[in-house]
């Protein structure tokens, strides 16, 4: 997950470009608009920066221009303007695995500092999903999705919230509108499909998709969790996946956790799996 700070991201880009006036003119190119947006970000005017980028996107149809404008939208939407906001956000991230309640408190504090920072909003929604407040998370994300339909982490988090509350039709529309095979977040999208088919009791399809996720990234902890769940439906008692899940989640490093924390339910099933292992006279050590 990429974290941008004003100094490291916007400042570097803006200062590498020639300075121009912020007034509109007919000869203004999309690159001029991107430059203008980055300069507005330097002045801590995120909303105006996003407005001019989105207006330009609505008028643009050249693939290269669209790609660069979308990248600029995502950069401006997620950049940290305040050091205090970023520090508080990072504190929330560090607490998420061990104490979701305190993590939410820190993220709410960060939102109060930068209410329009998409990085903070999406992470707060993930914690809400982890705590079971799927409807609240979706409400939070929906407000942003109307403004920023090009941010895939926002789109994925919305899909996670929809699946969390079993909104199958809305989830399906969102999934079908995504080019999952080309997505850098493919394994997380596919993990949602594993869960969807499991919940509707199509265990064969769920297993088929899980096999793809495993080939893509066998170290992703939730692969073991869903392997265990599917084995249970088939009345298999092999505790290998359960043991692997427990050991992986208990020993996961901070860097590994960040790699997979886009999944709000990452390592959230320990109690469930450990109880099953005890029932099988296995070990969760």
């Amino acid at each position: 997950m990429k974290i941008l700070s004003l100094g490291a991201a916007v400042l570097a880009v803006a200062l590498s470009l020639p300075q121009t006036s912020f007034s509109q003119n007919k000869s203004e190119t999309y690159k001029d608009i991107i430059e203008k947006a980055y300069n507005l970000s330097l002045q801590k005017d995120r909303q105006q920066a996003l407005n001019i980028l989105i207006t330009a996107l609505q008028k643009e149809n050249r693939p290269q221009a669209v790609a660069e404008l979308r990248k600029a939208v995502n950069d401006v939407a997620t950049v940290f303007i305040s050091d205090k906001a970023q520090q508080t956000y990072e504190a929330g991230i560090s607490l998420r695995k061990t104490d979701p309640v305190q993590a939410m408190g820190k993220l709410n504090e960060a939102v109060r500092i930068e209410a329009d920072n998409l990085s903070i909003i999406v992470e707060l929604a993930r914690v809400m999903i982890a705590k079971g407040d799927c409807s609240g998370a979706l409400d939070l994300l929906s407000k942003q999705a109307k403004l920023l339909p090009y941010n895939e982490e926002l789109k994925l988090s919305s899909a996670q919230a929809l699946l969390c509350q079993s909104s199958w039709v809305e989830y399906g529309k969102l999934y079908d509108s995504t080019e999952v095979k080309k997505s850098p977040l493919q394994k997380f999208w596919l993990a949602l499909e594993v869960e969807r088919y499991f919940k509707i009791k199509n265990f064969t399809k769920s297993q088929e998709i899980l096999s793809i996720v495993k080939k893509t990234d066998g170290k992703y902890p939730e692969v073991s969790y869903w392997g265990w769940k599917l084995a249970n439906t088939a009345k298999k008692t092999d505790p290998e996946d359960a043991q692997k899940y427990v050991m992986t989640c208990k020993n996961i490093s901070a860097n590994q956790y960040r790699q997979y924390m886009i999944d709000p339910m990452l390592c959230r099933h320990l109690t469930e799996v450990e109880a099953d292992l005890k029932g099988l006279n296995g070990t969760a050590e």
Side-chain angles (χ1 to χ4, degrees), residues 100-237:
V101 174
Q102 283 198 47
M104 183 173 288
K106 287 293 182 181
L107 291 167
N108 276 317
E109 183 182 341
V111 165
R112 286 192 289 272
I113 300 169
E114 285 190 28
D116 57 356
N117 187 316
L118 187 63
S119 295
I120 303 171
I121 291 167
V122 169
E123 185 56 33
L124 178 58
R126 289 178 185 141
V127 177
M128 293 171 75
I129 293 169
K131 287 179 59 58
D133 186 5
C134 309
S135 177
L138 190 59
D139 286 344
L140 183 64
L141 294 166
S142 295
K143 296 172 185 177
Q144 299 298 313
K146 294 175 182 177
L147 177 65
L148 302 165
Y150 315 110
N151 184 282
E152 192 173 352
E153 282 199 33
L154 173 58
K155 192 175 183 181
L156 175 63
S157 294
S158 298
Q160 289 164 337
L162 287 166
L163 191 63
C164 173
Q165 59 183 25
S166 300
S167 297
W168 308 119
V169 174
E170 292 84 355
Y171 164 81
K173 289 178 181 178
L174 196 55
Y175 183 88
D176 291 342
S177 70
T178 306
E179 293 187 82
V180 171
K181 289 184 178 180
K182 296 180 180 180
S183 171
L185 305 178
Q186 181 188 54
K187 62 191 169 194
F188 300 107
W189 282 108
L190 292 178
L192 288 180
E193 287 291 271
V194 172
E195 182 176 357
R196 171 167 70 148
Y197 283 106
F198 184 90
K199 285 184 173 180
I200 62 175
K201 301 187 185 305
N202 188 339
F203 303 128
T204 300
K205 186 67 173 179
S206 184
Q207 183 64 64
E208 176 186 318
I209 298 171
L210 182 62
S211 297
I212 298 172
V213 183
K214 189 172 184 178
K215 289 179 182 178
T216 303
D217 186 352
K219 294 181 180 180
Y220 179 18
E222 300 312 297
V223 169
S224 299
Y225 172 73
W226 287 110
W228 166 73
K229 291 285 282 186
L230 286 162
N232 277 359
T233 65
K235 308 299 182 183
K236 295 180 180 178
T237 57

